[in-house]
Amino acid sequence: MQSSSDDLRSTSTTPAPRAGVTGFPIVARHDVSDATFILEVDHPLMARAARAGQFVIVMSHPEGERIPLTIADFDRKRGTVTLVVQAVGKTTREMQRTCQVGTTLHGVAGPLGLPSPLGKARTVVCVGGGLGVAPVYPQARAHKERGATVIGVLGFRSAELVFWEDKFREVCDELILCTDDGSAGIHGLVTDGLELAMERYPDVGEVVAIGPPVMMQACAEATRPKGVHTVVSLNPIMVDGTGMCGGCRVRVGERVQFACVDGPDFDGHQVDFADLRARLTRYRGEEAQALAHWEHACRRAENAASDTLVSELPTPAGA
Amino acid sequence: MAAKRTIRTIPAERTPVREQPADERIGGFEEVSLGYDEAEAAREAQRCLFCADTPCMTGCPVSVDIPGFIRKVSDRDYRGAYDTIARTNLLPAVCGRVCPQESQCEAVCTVGATLEPVAIGRLERFVGDLAIANDWARRPFIAPTPYRVGVIGSGPAGMACAADLAKAGCDVTVFDALHLPGGVLRYGIPDFRLPSEVIDAEVANLERLGVRFECNTVVGRLFTIEQMIEEMGYDAVFIGTGAGYPTMLGIPGDSLGGVLSANELLTRANLMKARDFPMYDTPIPLGTHVAVVGAGNTAMDAMRVCLRLGAETVQCIYRRSAAEAPARAEELHHAEQEGVEFHWLTNPIEVLDDGQGNVSGLRCQRMELGEPDESGRRRPVPVPRSEFVMRCDQVVFAIGTNANPIIGQTSKLRLDKRGYLRVDEDLATSMAGVFAGGDIVTGAATVIEAMGAGRKAAAGILRYLGIRDESLAYDALGEPVFGIAPHEHSYVRLRAAEPETSPTHRTAVTAR
């Protein structure tokens, strides 16, 4: 820990207190697409403790569920951590609606998981696709800070969805953008970008791949023939995030490991991705039910609100 | 230190007391005098000269230490003011209102010889009203010690340890990784056995003792135990994090859909209130035919939760016989009453796949008891050619826990071979000032054993801090109050200086 003792002593374990405010304040928000948004949360102690590769468990409100979100960035000076959320299910779509600057998150616990073991490779490729773009950033930065040559490979659907390009350029010796439609960078998948990087830099000693399971698996398969060590960051379903429930267990080699305390980073060549994907779909029925229930409640609330508006209208003269 | 008060330096006028306007008050029975607020009380308390001969005390029929309590009001030590009055007068809120002060204490007040006398009655009422609001009569003052102790984990070990430390005057903060305090009492034991209101009440009792709870705090990861001691000003730390790393059986098929640990099932149902899904967002897998492996209390809880969630059949699978089942007799009895089917001497060997990645059944084999093992229980051995398939769509493992690795990963504390913390007979770990107890030391055990360990560790911590015996806590009290002996009270530690900031989960016992 680089901080002086006075700093820690004066920092409450709960975020900066504000009169009447409980929870963890959101101090900035940036929507990078219609489904993906970035939240900056005030939490000085966490900003100080966070390391590349770690995640937090977020509970947006008291009736909410606990969801794992990778720490996409941390700013020790500002005392904030940055989280990226993709609005896909009930909880994340609700967060897309309610998590505005000035509101708070009910619970934020972390930083959880083992920090990424950074290794000693002289040349590292950091691959981020979809939701994995942001969380691969602190890994790229950490590798750069320890003196490695860093090649970033980022995948987006199209040019207008590209974000954090400048941030990546600052910490990458080369940045390869890949888009599905070819509107920016190379026309292709991140695996194409990864192959290109390995051609250009034959001494690549480590690949870090973060994104959807199918993408991480493809990256691991791309590096397997060359025997390049490949680290993937797994994000299975979790409840407590502290090793207590075992819901996040994954098969790595012959062993069952808990992503929350034994990971989330694992050797991509050892991970049983089929098992991971099967476990991720475990709650599909319940997720659909929760979403339908929430959307119904939203519509009811909107209808109620418009009813109120109608009833509040002045009665027309003579009626 | 301010200059000595004299008749010339104090406010000449009595601080007026706010009253309900006459035209409003004749319409009802609301109290006419509204009493002093803090600022008014502080101003009036400045008018007392604290004269050495204390004529006011002789004017008081029960000789209340009037200058003594006014000095404490002046110092904003309201709790101290109350204790001063309560030594001789049990009912300050009453006497402050109805005593004829102008012919008793105030009649002989030294200030009153020159100016208006000190408004002793109004000050007494102010203190009495605060005492009622804060329930001070039932909670005698505990002399604070200068020691700060951090307790990691708010389960039974942590709560018991925090209670004893707080009663001895330590400034105690309890950290929990989850968003609510209570540990296994909250996430593990279902409401039908331990309602969450009971946990809330116990937490509130600790808060009244001055204990602070900080949730959402994963010690080891957010800050380390070493940092607590070296940088954050904690004089001692108690680790009561529980075992909490569920064992999976390691048989084929144990990661299929529909297989989960009892911890996960119970956490979803209890802590996350998945039983009320979708009113609460956390879902729970609902099996129609559930097989629970294990016969401890956790297994009984898991089975009874499944029945309440709508399972048609719940089967208990245990490789030994009923006599060896570790669950409490009452829990076994209740589970049986509620319709759990028990399969004693049965061992699961494979979870079967329905072809879609979900559970379709459990292949088991029959067992018989052989020679006693090292635990003294007769070792179950398989009966040859006794395999059979039990149809089920959900399998819950309740076969125990291993040591949670977080403390080991983030500290240099010495662990045993299985990852549990090594402690000496005082429950001190290998690091000075750091103690541990409960499941993280012994492996999975009972609530009461964890509480016993918490209390034992508290005693060890108090010795380590040089707090010798309980008398320190009761010094300020001395003798029975209201005919109640000290040990019959619940105790509170008064904080000398509360920080201005207010963490989310805390009830401060201050006058404001």
Side-chain angles (χ1 to χ4, degrees), chain B residues 302-424:
Chain B
M303 292 187 283
R304 296 170 71 196
V305 163
C306 288
L307 286 167
R308 282 159 181 75
L309 291 173
E312 281 172 26
T313 63
V314 174
Q315 328 223 33
C316 174
I317 294 150
Y318 185 55
R319 63 197 180 114
R320 300 177 195 255
S321 72
E324 285 87 25
R328 293 175 66 210
E330 190 188 7
E331 308 307 327
L332 272 168
H333 178 61
H334 284 160
E336 201 161 17
Q337 275 181 332
E338 291 173 12
V340 169
E341 294 169 38
F342 288 92
H343 298 266
W344 306 113
L345 291 166
T346 304
N347 193 38
I349 49 181
E350 183 185 2
V351 187
L352 302 174
D353 191 337
D354 68 351
Q356 318 265 317
N358 294 311
V359 174
S360 68
L362 194 59
R363 185 189 303 282
C364 303
Q365 63 188 352
R366 301 277 181 216
M367 309 295 275
E368 59 189 3
L369 293 179
E371 295 302 306
D373 61 14
E374 62 274 16
S375 72
R377 298 184 297 180
R378 290 176 66 192
R379 187 194 304 273
V381 290
V383 176
R385 293 179 300 284
S386 64
E387 285 185 20
F388 68 102
V389 170
M390 185 182 289
R391 288 286 146 214
C392 58
D393 53 14
Q394 187 172 339
V395 175
V396 179
F397 286 122
I399 52 172
T401 51
N402 293 321
N404 188 295
I406 292 180
I407 294 295
Q409 286 168 348
T410 58
S411 74
K412 297 188 184 73
L413 293 173
R414 198 181 304 161
L415 309 176
D416 70 13
K417 284 197 295 287
R418 298 172 306 158
Y420 294 104
L421 287 167
R422 300 241 324 228
V423 295
D424 68 11

Side-chain angles (χ1 to χ4, degrees), chain B residues 137-211:
Chain B
R138 290 197 304 116
R139 282 184 278 116
F141 174 71
I142 296 173
T145 69
Y147 298 112
R148 259 181 106 184
V149 185
V151 172
I152 309 171
S154 63
M159 289 223 258
C161 185
D164 280 4
L165 292 169
K167 286 177 187 174
C170 297
D171 180 352
V172 183
T173 304
V174 181
F175 299 100
D176 201 280
L178 296 173
H179 55 280
L180 288 172
V184 72
L185 306 176
R186 179 85 61 178
Y187 73 74
I189 302 178
D191 270 20
F192 56 78
R193 216 146 71 75
L194 177 64
S196 47
E197 294 74 32
V198 173
I199 306 164
D200 293 340
E202 296 295 357
V203 169
N205 281 340
L206 287 182
E207 287 181 325
R208 274 195 288 275
L209 287 172
V211 174

